[in-house]
């Protein structure tokens, strides 16, 4: 006989008495229409039981046996035999017992559980957590509600069933399903049966949510600092604030403390770093780095930001950093900005200075301080025209070079004319006014001066389209000729100091701008026209650009006289010819190339070619060549490629043919299993003109638990474009925190 009873509802309606039915008789259950009113989420729900046999041995006790199934909201219990006390809601289950609730499955020979409080015990349990597909076994499991569990003498892993490559063994493991956190005590980690790590206490996330706790220790070795180990502690202070405290012990130098604080809110965000080595044994000095970045929305269109950086000495990054991006830092910015955006106009005030780090073999000039810099910009349509204004006041300060103040005002008006959807003409007229007031260190006795220059331009172009069927795929091909005329009269600017101006690189973006220079200290004279032709191949359905080919050249009717480069380079009336080809040539191949040819001397000036082959995630090959006449010739090859089902190789070779030296050499191997990954990476790169640094990264990552060793992932992402972390878990949470 097999039937289902609502035990709670049944016990409320009737006094349960054992009833014996003859074989073949049918127990008729009357429909209770109150069941149609389902309970709300926060209300207690009745328990339902089904079994091959149910007996009421007393007025309070019910015994069910044979394929017993007990269900309550969000909870299911399966067993061979169940004894249930209706008043206390105590349940004892024996046989092959399985409990499923709130993303955890438990199985064992015996369970004692209160269905009301969900407090109970299971002996010799085997359990599975759905949050991270982990599993484990223990001597006993304590249920402390539906969200918290404690297991004693546990073996825990994320490896699939039948694979015990790594195990976390602990005297006690606390599982908090609400916070998705596991806390182990007296824990040791075994890898391939060998203990590799012991910790009296450790915690780890059961999902991708942030949580406080120690991160995996980082081991490493560099030629400058020797063997080192870092033990980071991550502190989840609040949903919008976190910190990482990382003691770093270096054999040759001593103990360093790295500290990072991050915060984010609706109206502000930022991060702060304080790294200190109290006594460097090699230099017998204190090494210190501080950094603060903060942005603030003040409301009503006002914003503020600060960016402050400081290191204790010139070689701080070369000695103590193991990333290329840090070791190449020269000028550390220190600035504060207050800005306002009023819709059609905006303004900003900035205080800016730098700390300059010098390489004795290649000294650099310290940049000017801007104390202060005030900018004003406006753009407003009036009667079909665009009225614009750009203004700037800067007070330049320098310990050795000439000091001074510069005022710039540049009003302009442009009137876009569109004859058809594909044809446009935009005339523009403006007046650029600059005033200089010079101060200290004026050794050349330069006078205060004014400069006024009219600027006239005419920008025009056509966009033509045609449908193109290529191998059964529909594309749209464009043909876009463009002509840009520019007139600026010549003014002798030899007596004007150069505070912040440099020659702009000649490229497609620059060739359609008004000034050949960055900054306002030089305004290049121009009587020229720039011509270009661009063709694009677009997917007809999505509009995505698959290929772009562009060619352009600038023609001067009069030789430019204002220059910051040697006259023999800049006195030709025909500029270099630019050619660019870029796009996704095939689903697997992409190309990005630019070529600059000098027709006056019949030679190439620049060539940048980059190609990427990426047939799928985890397979990428990057090929690059960079050439600039008389200054740069580099070959750059990088790859991430699988050698077999488990093994992958990572490599980069960046070599300067100009200097006959390696700029960066990286080689590494990665082994991926179902639940763990190990990486070995060796990187050697230039840190200064005559200096090289070598880093060795050896890391074991136990998926979902811990990373042990020095982390090479940042180096791999920076060195190999398109690098993919192969054991990246799928996103199972929408946590919007900082990490």
């Amino acid at each position: 006989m097999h039937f289902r009873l609502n035990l709670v509802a049944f016990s409320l309606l009737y006094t349960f008495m054992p009833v014996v039915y003859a074989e073949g008789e049918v127990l008729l259950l009357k429909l209770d229409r109150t069941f149609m009113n389902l309970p709300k989420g926060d209300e207690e729900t009745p328990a339902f039981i089904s079994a091959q046999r149910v007996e009421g041995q007393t007025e309070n006790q019910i015994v069910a046996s044979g394929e017993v199934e007990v269900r309550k909201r969000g909870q299911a219990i399966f067993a061979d035999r169940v004894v249930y006390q209706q008043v206390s809601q105590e349940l004892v289950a024996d046989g092959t017992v399985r409990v499923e609730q709130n993303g955890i499955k438990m199985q064992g020979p015996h369970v004692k559980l209160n269905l009301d409080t969900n407090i109970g015990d299971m002996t010799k349990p085997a359990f599975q957590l759905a949050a991270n597909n982990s599993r484990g076994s223990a001597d006993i499991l304590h249920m402390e509600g539906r969200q918290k569990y404690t297991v004693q003498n546990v073996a825990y892993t994320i490896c699939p069933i039948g694979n015990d490559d790594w195990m976390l063994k602990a005297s006690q493991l606390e599982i908090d399903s609400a916070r998705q956190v596991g806390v182990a005590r007296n824990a040791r980690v075994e890898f391939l049966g060998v203990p590799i790590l012991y910790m009296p206490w450790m915690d780890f996330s059961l999902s991708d949510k942030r949580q406080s706790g120690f991160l995996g220790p980082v081991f490493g070795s560099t030629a400058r600092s020797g063997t080192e180990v870092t033990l980071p502690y991550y502190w989840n202070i609040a949903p919008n604030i976190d910190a990482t405290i990382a003691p770093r012990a270096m054999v040759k130098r001593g103990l360093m403390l790295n500290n990072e604080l991050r915060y984010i809110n609706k109206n502000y965000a930022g991060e702060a770093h304080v790294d200190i080595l109290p006594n460097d044994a090699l230099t017998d000095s204190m090494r210190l780095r501080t950094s603060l970045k903060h942005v603030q929305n003040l409301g009503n269109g006002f914003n503020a930001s600060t960016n402050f950086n400081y290191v204790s000495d010139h070689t701080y990054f070369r000695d103590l950093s193991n990333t290329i991006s840090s070791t190449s830092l020269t000028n550390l910015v220190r600035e504060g900005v207050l800005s306002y955006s009023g819709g059609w106009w905006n303004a900003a005030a900035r205080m800016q200075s730098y700390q300059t780090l010098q390489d004795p073999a290649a000294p650099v000039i310290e940049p000017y301080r801007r104390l202060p810099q005030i900018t004003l910009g406006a753009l407003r349509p009036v009667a079909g025209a665009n009225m614009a204004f750009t203004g700037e006041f800067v007070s330049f300060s320098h310990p050795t070079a000439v000091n001074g103040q510069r005022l710039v005002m540049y009003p302009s008006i442009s009137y876009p004319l569109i004859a058809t959807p594909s044809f446009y003409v935009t005339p523009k007229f403006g007046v650029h006014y600059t005033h200089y007031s010079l101060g200290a260190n004026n050794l050349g006795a330069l006078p205060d001066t004014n400069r006024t220059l009219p600027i006239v331009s005419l920008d025009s172009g056509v966009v033509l389209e045609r449908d193109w069927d290529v191998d059964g795929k529909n594309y749209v091909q464009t043909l876009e000729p463009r002509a840009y005329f520019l007139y600026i009269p010549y003014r002798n600017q030899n007596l004007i100091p150069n505070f912040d101006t440099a020659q702009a690189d000649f490229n497609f973006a620059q060739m359609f701008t008004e000034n050949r220079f960055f900054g306002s200290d030089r305004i290049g004279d121009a009587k020229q026209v720039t011509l270009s032709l661009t063709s694009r191949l677009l997917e007809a359905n999505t509009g995505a650009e698959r290929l772009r080919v562009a060619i352009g050249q600038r023609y001067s009717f009069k030789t430019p006289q204002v220059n910051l480069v040697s006259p023999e380079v800049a006195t030709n009336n025909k500029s270099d010819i630019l050619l660019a080809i870029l796009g996704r040539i095939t689903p697997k191949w992409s190309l990005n190339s630019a070529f600059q040819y000098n027709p006056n001397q019949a030679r190439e000036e620049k060539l940048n070619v980059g190609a990427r082959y990426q047939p799928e995630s985890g397979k990428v090959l990057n090929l690059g060549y960079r050439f600039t006449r008389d200054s740069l010739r580099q070959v750059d090859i990088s790859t991430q490629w699988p050698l077999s089902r488990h093994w992958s190789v990572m490599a980069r070779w960046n070599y300067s043919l100009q200097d006959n030296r390696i700029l960066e050499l990286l080689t590494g191997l990665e082994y991926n299993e179902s639940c763990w990954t190990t990486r070995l990476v060796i990187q050697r790169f230039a840190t200064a003109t005559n200096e090289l640094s070598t880093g060795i990264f050896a890391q074991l990552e136990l998926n979902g638990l811990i990373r042990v060793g020095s982390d090479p992932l940042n180096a791999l992402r920076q060195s190999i474009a398109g690098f993919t972390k192969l054991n990246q878990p799928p996103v199972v949470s929408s946590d919007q925190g900082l990490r």
Side-chain angles (χ1 to χ4, degrees):
M1 184 180 296
H2 190 282
F3 53 88
R4 182 183 298 272
L5 292 178
N6 179 337
L7 295 181
V8 175
F10 189 86
S11 63
L12 291 174
L13 295 174
Y14 301 99
T15 300
F16 184 85
M17 296 295 293
V19 180
V20 179
Y21 291 89
E23 185 176 353
E25 293 186 12
V26 178
L27 176 63
L28 299 176
L29 296 180
K30 184 178 179 180
L31 178 65
D32 186 346
R33 298 188 181 278
T34 61
F35 280 60
M36 300 298 292
N37 300 321
L38 298 178
K40 297 179 180 179
D42 57 352
E43 293 181 357
E44 185 60 39
T45 60
F48 297 89
I49 184 170
S50 66
Q52 291 181 345
R53 181 178 179 82
V54 176
E55 298 178 359
Q57 295 184 344
T58 67
E59 185 173 321
N60 177 50
Q61 178 174 289
I62 297 173
V63 178
S65 58
E67 299 182 9
V68 183
E69 181 179 340
V70 180
R71 289 189 177 274
K72 205 173 182 181
R73 179 187 292 273
Q75 183 183 53
I77 303 169
F78 307 88
D80 295 334
R81 184 176 183 272
V82 170
V83 178
Y84 176 69
Q85 306 293 333
Q86 295 189 79
V87 176
S88 64
Q89 295 199 43
E90 291 285 345
L91 178 148
V92 177
D94 295 291
T96 303
V97 184
R98 191 170 82 253
V99 180
E100 299 179 4
Q101 60 184 26
N102 290 89
I104 183 171
K105 297 180 181 180
M106 302 161 276
Q107 183 172 316
H110 177 81
V111 167
K112 183 177 181 181
L113 179 64
N114 186 294
L115 293 181
D116 183 27
T117 63
N118 209 68
I119 296 176
D121 299 314
M122 174 181 283
T123 58
K124 297 295 180 182
F127 59 90
Q128 291 181 317
L129 303 178
N132 62 346
N133 295 318
S134 61
R135 61 184 177 89
S137 60
D139 287 346
I140 190 167
L141 184 148
H142 304 285
M143 286 171 270
E144 304 168 17
R146 295 194 182 186
Q147 301 288 343
K148 296 188 68 175
Y149 310 89
T150 301
V151 287
Q152 305 290 337
N153 298 325
V154 62
Y156 168 90
T157 185
I158 205 172
C159 295
I161 296 175
N163 182 339
D164 294 337
D165 283 355
W166 69 260
M167 300 291 293
L168 170 66
K169 296 185 177 180
S171 62
Q172 179 177 295
L173 174 62
E174 299 172 6
I175 300 172
D176 190 330
S177 296
R179 296 192 302 126
Q180 292 292 290
V181 173
V183 179
R185 305 184 188 278
N186 297 320
R188 72 178 187 273
V189 178
E190 295 184 359
F191 178 65
L192 301 180
V194 178
I196 61 170
L197 184 66
Y198 171 79
M199 299 185 70
W201 173 89
M202 69 176 295
D203 61 1
F204 53 92
S205 177
L206 302 177
S207 66
D208 63 345
K209 292 184 178 180
R210 300 157 46 230
Q211 65 164 47
S212 298
F214 283 99
L215 306 178
V218 178
F219 302 97
S221 178
T222 63
R224 293 178 175 272
S225 302
T227 303
E228 61 181 72
V229 59
T230 304
L231 185 59
Y233 180 81
Y234 178 74
W235 183 12
N236 182 20
I237 302 172
N240 64 322
I241 307 174
D242 67 6
T244 303
I245 304 167
R248 177 185 177 189
M250 295 171 283
V251 169
K252 293 184 179 181
R253 298 186 182 275
L255 180 63
M256 185 175 189
L257 191 62
N258 298 332
N259 305 278
E260 177 192 63
L261 175 70
R262 303 186 302 174
Y263 53 92
I264 186 171
N265 210 319
K266 179 181 179 181
N267 293 318
Y268 62 83
E271 64 178 74
H273 296 263
V274 178
D275 304 336
I276 182 169
L277 178 60
N279 185 20
D280 188 337
L282 289 181
T283 63
D284 193 25
S285 63
M286 182 187 73
R287 315 294 294 275
L288 175 67
R289 174 208 172 201
T290 59
S291 173
L292 173 63
K293 295 180 181 179
H294 179 88
V295 293
Q296 179 86 42
N297 180 2
L298 302 175
N300 299 317
F302 286 94
N303 292 276
S305 66
T306 185
N307 185 1
F308 176 83
N309 299 274
Y310 167 81
V311 293
S312 56
D313 54 86
H314 295 285
T315 61
Y316 179 91
F317 290 112
R318 296 200 294 271
D319 288 347
L320 298 173
S321 179
N322 53 15
T323 62
I324 297 178
S325 58
S326 295
T327 56
S328 59
L329 288 175
T330 300
N331 292 308
L332 305 183
V333 67
R334 302 168 180 176
E335 68 175 10
V337 181
L338 177 65
S339 62
Y340 173 78
S341 178
W344 62 273
W345 71 280
N346 59 80
R350 172 182 280 105
M351 303 288 286
Q352 184 185 73
S353 64
Y354 295 89
Q355 180 185 6
T356 301
L357 308 181
Q358 296 287 0
D359 175 6
V364 297
I365 299 175
E366 181 180 345
Y368 275 92
R369 304 180 183 96
R370 293 175 170 90
L371 303 172
Q373 178 188 29
I374 300 172
T375 59
L376 177 66
L379 177 64
R380 192 163 193 173
V382 177
N386 292 323
M387 308 291 292
F389 177 84
T390 301
E392 178 192 48
F393 171 80
V394 192
S395 179
F396 291 100
S397 175
H398 197 280
T400 58
V402 59
N403 287 216
Q405 297 176 341
R406 184 182 70 199
L407 174 66
V408 175
M409 292 187 292
Y410 179 30
S412 65
I413 180 173
S414 61
Y415 196 87
L417 302 171
I418 302 177
T420 68
S422 61
F423 178 73
Y424 64 91
V425 176
T426 305
K428 180 181 177 181
F429 174 77
V431 177
H432 194 287
Y433 170 80
T434 317
H435 172 74
Y436 288 87
S437 178
L438 305 182
N441 300 327
N442 189 1
L443 302 180
L446 299 176
D448 295 351
T449 186
N450 298 318
R451 180 187 61 197
T452 303
L453 287 168
I455 299 177
V456 180
S457 67
L458 182 68
D459 193 5
S460 62
V462 181
V463 179
L464 306 174
E465 296 182 354
R466 70 159 183 166
D467 295 329
W468 192 11
D469 190 301
V470 181
D471 295 331
K473 295 182 179 180
N474 296 323
Y475 294 95
V476 174
Q477 184 192 12
T478 69
L479 192 63
E480 306 169 36
R482 182 181 180 184
Y484 178 72
F485 172 79
L486 177 66
Y487 172 74
I488 303 174
Y490 168 73
R491 294 289 187 274
N492 190 326
Q493 302 170 43
N494 294 333
L495 297 181
I496 296 178
N498 186 359
F499 292 125
D500 62 357
T501 297
Q503 186 85 34
D505 186 35
F506 185 61
N507 52 47
F508 276 101
Q510 189 278 330
M511 67 192 304
F512 291 100
T513 59
E514 295 173 347
N515 198 7
R516 301 191 303 274
F517 306 98
F518 292 122
S520 299
D521 294 320
R522 295 294 182 272
I523 303 296
D525 56 315
K527 191 176 182 182
Q528 63 193 33
V529 62
T530 302
L531 303 176
S532 74
L533 181 63
T534 302
S535 180
R536 309 172 198 263
L537 190 64
L538 311 175
E539 292 183 356
N541 296 331
T542 65
E545 184 178 285
R546 292 294 301 272
L547 181 65
R548 185 195 310 173
V549 180
I551 188 170
Q553 188 176 19
R554 176 184 292 166
Y555 299 89
S556 296
F557 301 103
K558 185 177 181 180
T559 302
Q561 300 179 63
V562 179
N563 296 290
L564 288 177
V565 296
S566 56
E568 63 270 20
V569 177
T571 55
N572 295 303
N573 291 350
K574 291 183 180 179
S575 75
D576 294 345
I577 299 173
L578 298 182
L579 173 65
I581 303 175
L582 63 155
R584 198 167 186 85
I585 308 301
T586 71
K588 299 178 181 180
W589 279 99
S590 59
L591 176 68
N592 190 343
S593 63
F595 177 64
Q596 182 173 333
Y597 179 76
N598 186 338
N600 301 290
Q601 300 184 28
R603 68 183 190 184
E604 67 276 9
E605 296 293 337
K606 289 185 179 181
L607 174 63
N608 292 328
V609 179
R612 177 184 299 181
Y613 177 68
Q614 192 166 20
E616 60 186 63
S617 178
K619 286 184 177 181
V620 63
L621 173 63
N622 301 297
L623 305 173
Y625 176 74
R626 292 182 289 272
F627 166 80
T628 300
R629 180 164 298 279
D630 300 327
S631 64
L632 179 72
R633 261 196 320 143
Q634 294 179 7
V635 176
D636 197 347
I637 302 173
S638 63
T639 186
Q640 176 190 20
W641 205 263
L643 301 177
S644 65
R645 178 172 172 265
H646 297 288
W647 288 97
S648 294
V649 64
M650 297 85 67
R652 183 186 186 187
W653 182 61
N654 187 8
Y655 187 80
S656 173
L657 300 172
Q658 185 82 15
D659 304 316
N660 292 321
R661 68 187 297 233
I662 292 176
L663 302 178
E664 182 186 3
L665 180 63
L666 180 146
T667 182
L669 284 173
E670 178 175 290
Y671 182 86
N672 273 282
E673 261 294 348
S674 56
C675 59
W676 60 273
T677 298
T678 184
R679 304 177 182 94
L680 176 63
V681 176
I682 301 175
Q683 184 185 34
R684 185 172 177 83
F685 56 89
T687 59
T689 303
N690 297 314
E691 297 180 14
L692 291 172
S693 178
T694 301
I696 300 175
F697 305 87
Q699 183 186 59
L700 173 64
E701 180 176 355
L702 307 181
N703 297 356
L705 183 69
I706 200 171
R707 296 176 187 169
V708 180
S710 51
D711 191 352
L713 292 177
N714 286 335
L716 292 171
R717 291 189 181 105
Q718 292 177 4
S719 298
I720 304 174
F723 171 82
T724 303
K725 187 174 183 289
L726 297 178
N727 65 328
Q728 185 72 36
V731 177
V732 295
S733 170
S734 59
D735 179 51
Q736 298 299 316
L738 292 166
R739 175 170 298 182

